[in-house]
């Protein structure tokens, strides 16, 4: 049986981030045949600038691109900052979207989950991440998105919340593109 590799982009750089803990929990509990690789090095990416993304891109960008290119799927686990996705995640998607039409996200099934300590659970950040990934060529599974409010619930220990997060991962892994009807 072949393994399904899922690259995980965490939208928070904070060491004690709840979203990082969710990513680590999902990685530790990955179903048989599934490997979740938390992409490292997002904090080292320079802001995207086409002037430095030529034949020799910065090593940090090349490193992140290789990690995502090696995956079969991409899962974003992110909070929301000021009503949108964190800058580190936006920047990572910018780097992964290039070169245009052949970036590391092209044709990869892509889903977003996460939590924030608000009643909205990060839904604006999640919508923004989905929109950017779609423009970058990913196959965005919007119906898999989990925007979990972190108000009055222990996200890491609540069975219902964990069930939603595990379900999102399972749906991402199980996704198969519909056969083309083009002649």
């Amino acid at each position: 049986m072949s393994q399904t590799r899922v690259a995980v982009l965490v939208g928070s750089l904070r060491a004690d981030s709840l979203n990082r803990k969710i990513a680590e929990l999902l990685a530790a509990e990955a179903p048989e045949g599934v490997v979740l690789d938390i992409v490292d090095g997002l904090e080292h990416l320079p802001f995207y600038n086409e002037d430095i993304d030529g034949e020799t891109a910065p090593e940090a960008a090349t490193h992140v691109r290789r990690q995502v290119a090696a995956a079969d799927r991409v899962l974003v686990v992110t909070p929301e900052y000021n009503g949108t996705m964190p800058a580190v995640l936006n920047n990572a998607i910018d780097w992964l979207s290039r070169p245009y039409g052949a970036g590391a996200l092209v044709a990869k099934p892509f889903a977003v989950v996460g939590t924030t300590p608000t009643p909205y659970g990060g839904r604006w950040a999640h919508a923004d991440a989905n929109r950017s990934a779609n423009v970058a060529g990913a196959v965005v599974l919007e119906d898999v998105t989990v925007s979990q409010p972190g108000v009055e619930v222990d996200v890491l220990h609540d069975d219902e919340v964990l069930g939603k997060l595990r379900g999102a991962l399972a749906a991402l892994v199980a996704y198969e593109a519909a056969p083309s009807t083009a002649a």
Side-chain angles (χ1 to χ4, degrees), residues 48-58 61 65 94-95 98-99:
Y48 185 78
N49 177 347
E50 196 171 8
D51 290 343
I52 62 172
D53 188 20
E55 288 187 30
T56 57
R65 285 173 170 167
D94 285 348
W95 280 104
R98 301 289 193 261

Side-chain angles (χ1 to χ4, degrees), residues 139-163:
V139 179
V140 174
L141 309 181
E142 290 186 36
D143 58 333
V144 174
T145 302
V146 175
S147 301
Q148 179 59 51
V151 180
E152 299 180 17
V153 66
D154 182 349
V155 174
L156 294 175
H157 296 98
D158 183 274
D159 289 337
E160 183 180 341
V161 171
L162 293 173

